[in-house]
Amino acid sequence: MTMREILIVDDQRGIRLLLNELFKKEGFITHLAANGYDALKIAEENAVDCVLLDMKIPGMDGLEILARLKSKNSYLPVIMMTAYVEQHMIDTATELGVTKYFSKPFNIFEIRDEVKKILKIHEKI
């Protein structure tokens, strides 16, 4: 089985590290980015299978990152995470093709399960 690659984009170091640890334990190759510029560079240079993306990031925000990621690969699954529940942002993210949306604080195991479901990875019995 090919190892899946996931890109974790969040300006909060603690969230990046927590999700990094979780997905590494699950056998994923992980890439971490604290901002949009790094995220786009990583996505361009690696065969990323899924992106976990914070909505509110200083500089280039999550919606702009989402739009740029989707312009390069419209099939790339992107899961948005945010502490700010603003309906217009959710609507815009949906129009741009976001796959799923999680509000912070979130349950990391729900995110893990959603990524596995999206990528059709099932745990061995």
Side-chain angles (χ1 to χ4, degrees), residues 7 38-48 69 72:
L7 171 57
D38 290 347
L40 295 172
K41 186 171 193 268
I42 291 167
E44 194 171 299
E45 295 174 353
N46 297 277
V48 175
L69 288 170
K72 300 273 188 199

Side-chain angles (χ1 to χ4, degrees), residues 30-74:
T30 58
H31 303 279
L32 306 179
N35 60 62
Y37 303 103
D38 290 347
L40 295 172
K41 186 171 193 268
I42 291 167
E44 194 171 299
E45 295 174 353
N46 297 277
V48 175
D49 297 297
C50 185
V51 178
L52 297 176
L53 176 61
D54 186 22
M55 180 94 67
K56 294 272 191 172
I57 297 178
M60 186 186 311
D61 74 4
L63 292 175
E64 184 176 348
I65 299 165
L66 173 63
R68 290 186 184 199
L69 288 170
K70 288 294 195 169
S71 73
K72 300 273 188 199
N73 179 356
S74 63

